Amino acid sequence: RQAREWIEAVSGEPYSSDDTHEALKDGTLLCKVANKLGGNIKFNSSKMAFKQMENIGKFLEFCTGYGCNTSDMFQTVDLYENQNMPSVINGIHALGRRAQANQFAGPVLGVREATAQHREFTDEQLRAGDGVIGLQMGSNK
């Protein structure tokens, strides 16, 4: 539900069907979302299967270039043949997280992705821990 609302808010268009698979199957709505996030995807409105799968593939290429981890994304057949819709929803959430990290000013989906917190310790601070016996090692008492 959250992914659907986010897609509708970003694209400015409602789903064409109550079924998520049917609404996203041709890839045009996903390409419109990618274009709103800064992409420049020329998509096909054709009803031919290979054109629809090409749209999905272009969306996935955009997501990878936008900074989404490939492990978070789905395969074209997961969406087109309705094989793994949870993976598709996970991929949309990954794009929503990445959009926040890339400072997208539009609607928000999910939590903000964590960023690295680099810490530097002095040699004195590092040596201070040498004399401590960790609780996992037991105690000398």
Side-chain angles (χ1 to χ4, degrees):
R1 194 181 99 245
Q2 293 172 339
R4 176 187 178 143
E5 291 170 358
W6 184 76
I7 287 173
E8 289 177 336
V10 172
S11 69
E13 294 185 21
Y15 268 28
S16 59
S17 168
D18 286 337
D19 180 30
T20 299
H21 169 252
E22 285 300 318
L24 301 179
K25 179 181 176 180
D26 65 0
T28 56
L29 194 55
L30 294 175
C31 288
K32 289 175 183 177
V33 168
N35 288 342
K36 294 282 185 170
L37 294 176
N40 187 20
I41 300 175
K42 291 182 173 66
F43 54 89
N44 296 297
S45 299
S46 173
K47 297 295 179 197
M48 297 176 74
F50 71 93
K51 291 291 187 184
Q52 293 177 345
M53 291 175 73
E54 190 176 274
N55 288 341
I56 297 168
K58 288 178 182 178
F59 169 76
L60 293 171
E61 285 176 25
F62 166 80
C63 291
T64 304
Y66 197 63
C68 294
N69 292 331
T70 53
S71 60
D72 287 335
M73 300 315 294
F74 55 94
Q75 300 294 316
T76 302
V77 294
D78 291 341
L79 172 56
Y80 189 77
E81 296 179 3
N82 199 14
Q83 288 184 354
N84 191 355
M85 285 308 289
S87 178
V88 173
I89 300 302
N90 183 50
I92 293 167
H93 276 268
L95 179 61
R97 285 192 311 271
R98 178 49 58 185
Q100 289 181 62
N102 290 353
Q103 308 303 318
F104 177 63
V108 173
L109 175 64
V111 296
R112 183 177 295 273
E113 222 170 46
T115 56
Q117 299 284 329
H118 184 70
R119 293 172 173 80
E120 292 185 24
F121 296 100
T122 64
D123 288 337
E124 182 181 332
Q125 289 172 319
L126 292 172
R127 280 194 303 276
D130 289 345
V132 177
I133 298 175
L135 293 176
Q136 292 179 346
M137 293 184 212
S139 67
N140 291 334
K141 295 181 182 179

